[in-house]
Amino acid sequence: MRAQSNDLEGESFNISITAFDRAKAGEIVYETVEKPGHPRLRVITLPIMDRTKTTSPSLVQVATLLDDFDETMERLLIILIIGALTSVGVTIGAGYYMAKKALKPVDKIRKTAVKISSRNLEEYIDIGPRKDELGKLADTFNAMISRLRDAFQRINQFSIDVSHELKTPLTILKGSTDVALRKERDSHEYRSLLTSHLEEIDRMSQIIDDLLLLSKADTGKMQLNIGDVDVRDLVLEVFMDMQILAEKKNVDLIVGDVEDVKLKGDELKLRRMLWNIVDNGIKYTQMGGKVEISSTLEDGYVRINVRDTGVGIADEDISYIFDRFYRADRARKRESGTGLGLSISKWIAEAHKGAIEVRSHASSGSLFSLKLPLSGGDA
Ligand code: ADP
């Protein structure tokens, strides 16, 4: 027998056969019933058993419409979709903004790099005080610009100095030739003029030779012919070469204690270096003064020391004397050298993994010390 309440308005709802069977077996069954063109129903089927449980149970079914629930779920779904789309949009927007903000310094670095040329090396990147990787990148970049600026300044100064050094002898040659040509001269006057011209020409070719040597050194094209060099022989050879010069100037050139050791090096270049230092010693020492060459040993190195009793070097000049064309007293010293000797000597010492050290004070003489590594066996 089957009875049905009125509120279903004659609508029937049939649960599935399995649900029906399970209810008949005494189980409470929940099921959702769907019919095309009708709202969904949620049905609970309760088996009612008699006490003896011998007969099959009667079934009571209660159903409720799911349209409210479905509507709520539908709204929830729409809210979820809108929420998800909005949060994706916000995330993309915020991500883009943050990435753009984070990459702004990179763009600044890029723009500065594009602008940099030899004419605007005072530019630098200002991304504020940052300690992160971008801050470090900007600092590195600024340090690189500053190094480039120094290098360009040095090159500029160097070109000015070269022009000046070559222009002075040319001006002298031109001036003296002009004067000589103003009237007839006797052969003695011509000879003396040509002799002075020859000196200026020698000076110019010395400058050019020195410049060529330094530019080869700078570009790494200078080869060292390494071999065994006997320190005593080296000192004695330079001593012999320079003796006449010292005698001419009435400077006492002497050789003190010299170690009997060997170096690995380029003999010609080492001689050139020692020659420069001894030549300076004689040049910058007054008549009656003394220049002494000696050597000492020190932890795998030999020091060839050249001590003079000359004019010395003022404190404000000492850190510049190895710079190209630097002369402590330009006006007075023009005749005496090119201002390149110490730059060349420094390069030669460093190319041999050594160094030149100097100790001097104005008017108390100078000590130049050439520190060079010994050959393996002698150290
Ligand atoms: P220069 O050809 O002028 O001697 P250097 O490069 O050899 O050039 O030396 C540079 C400058 O260092 C010299 O002009 C001089 O002012 C100074 N100097 C070098 N050696 C001595 C020295 N023994 N005593 C005093 N001043 C020196």
Side-chain angles (χ1 to χ4, degrees):
M1 200 183 99
R2 184 181 168 118
Q4 186 171 319
S5 64
N6 293 333
D7 51 356
L8 280 172
E9 295 165 358
E11 283 285 343
S12 67
F13 50 86
N14 295 322
I15 59 170
S16 63
I17 294 169
T18 18
F20 182 79
D21 289 345
R22 277 166 51 208
K24 275 288 185 194
E27 195 183 325
I28 300 171
V29 180
Y30 295 87
E31 204 177 44
T32 303
V33 176
E34 285 181 61
K35 241 161 95 182
H38 290 80
R40 295 189 314 145
L41 287 172
R42 185 72 176 157
V43 181
I44 176 171
T45 306
L46 294 157
I48 312 288
M49 312 281 264
D50 64 6
R51 274 214 190 99
T52 59
K53 291 189 183 173
T54 49
T55 54
S56 115
S58 307
L59 299 181
V60 175
Q61 287 189 305
V62 180
T64 182
L65 284 169
L66 284 179
D67 49 356
D68 276 355
F69 173 77
D70 283 349
E71 206 176 301
T72 310
M73 289 306 282
E74 222 166 80
R75 272 203 212 120
L76 196 65
L77 186 67
I78 292 168
I79 289 169
L80 273 177
I81 290 171
I82 292 173
L85 287 177
T86 314
S87 56
V88 168
V90 169
T91 310
I92 290 173
Y96 179 73
Y97 171 76
M98 279 164 71
K100 210 167 166 178
K101 199 171 166 210
L103 291 176
K104 208 170 165 192
V106 177
D107 198 41
K108 220 168 182 182
I109 295 172
R110 186 191 65 79
K111 281 184 182 145
T112 313
V114 167
K115 268 196 284 171
I116 286 290
S117 76
S118 60
R119 263 177 244 110
N120 60 351
L121 284 169
E122 60 295 327
E123 290 261 344
Y124 78 105
I125 301 155
D126 181 13
I127 56 166
R130 293 177 69 133
K131 295 244 173 296
D132 57 4
E133 300 307 313
L134 284 176
K136 282 183 202 156
L137 181 66
D139 286 350
T140 311
F141 204 85
N142 285 336
M144 187 190 77
I145 298 175
S146 153
R147 281 199 304 278
L148 281 177
R149 187 170 51 236
D150 289 352
F152 270 96
Q153 264 167 11
R154 273 205 305 277
I155 291 168
N156 255 344
Q157 187 56 47
F158 186 63
S159 312
I160 293 168
D161 289 344
V162 172
S163 319
H164 176 79
E165 291 300 324
L166 291 177
K167 195 157 189 312
T168 312
L170 280 173
T171 311
I172 293 168
L173 282 178
K174 186 174 183 317
S176 57
T177 311
D178 276 348
V179 171
L181 286 175
R182 274 187 206 148
K183 59 174 189 169
E184 272 306 309
R185 311 270 167 185
D186 59 27
S187 63
H188 175 73
E189 281 178 299
Y190 283 128
R191 175 170 285 277
S192 120
L193 180 76
L194 289 177
T195 311
S196 119
H197 280 189
L198 203 58
E199 272 172 25
E200 292 302 335
I201 291 165
D202 281 348
R203 187 177 152 72
M204 281 193 289
S205 46
Q206 180 65 52
I207 291 176
I208 289 164
D209 284 350
D210 286 354
L211 284 174
L212 280 175
L213 191 144
L214 280 170
S215 71
K216 266 193 191 170
D218 283 348
T219 50
K221 288 191 186 135
M222 177 91 83
Q223 298 278 323
L224 292 183
N225 294 317
I226 301 289
D228 278 333
V229 180
D230 189 290
V231 172
R232 234 178 224 177
D233 288 351
L234 182 76
V235 169
L236 287 176
E237 276 164 26
V238 174
F239 169 75
M240 309 277 247
D241 284 352
M242 304 308 283
Q243 223 178 6
I244 303 167
L245 199 73
E247 270 167 21
K248 257 196 201 165
K249 235 201 123 180
N250 200 9
V251 167
D252 195 11
L253 177 64
I254 53 172
V255 175
D257 289 339
V258 177
E259 305 296 332
D260 186 12
V261 285
K262 281 193 168 54
L263 295 173
K264 278 254 175 286
D266 183 325
E267 189 173 354
L268 282 180
K269 298 215 169 42
L270 289 173
R271 199 189 305 173
R272 167 87 198 261
M273 171 173 66
L274 186 57
W275 195 92
N276 280 344
I277 304 295
V278 177
D279 181 45
N280 278 349
I282 298 169
K283 259 186 337 200
Y284 300 110
T285 297
Q286 307 88 333
M287 250 192 204
K290 191 170 94 175
V291 176
E292 181 182 354
I293 317 171
S294 62
S295 86
T296 48
L297 289 181
E298 183 188 300
D299 296 336
Y301 287 87
V302 61
R303 275 184 184 276
I304 304 177
N305 302 310
V306 179
R307 189 187 295 274
D308 67 59
T309 58
V311 295
I313 305 162
D315 290 350
E316 64 267 27
D317 291 320
I318 209 153
S319 47
Y320 301 109
I321 58 169
F322 293 100
D323 290 356
R324 292 169 193 187
F325 291 118
Y326 189 84
R327 294 202 206 99
D329 180 350
R330 288 193 163 237
R332 191 160 57 87
K333 310 273 171 60
R334 196 195 85 77
E335 295 306 321
S336 53
T338 61
L340 294 170
L342 284 184
S343 317
I344 293 171
S345 302
K346 183 170 182 260
W347 180 83
I348 295 173
E350 285 170 0
H352 283 83
K353 299 194 170 52
I356 302 186
E357 288 163 14
V358 55
R359 263 193 280 144
S360 181
H361 290 289
S363 75
S364 67
S366 313
L367 168 65
F368 280 83
S369 182
L370 312 176
K371 190 178 169 192
L372 297 162
L374 290 165
S375 308
D378 296 309

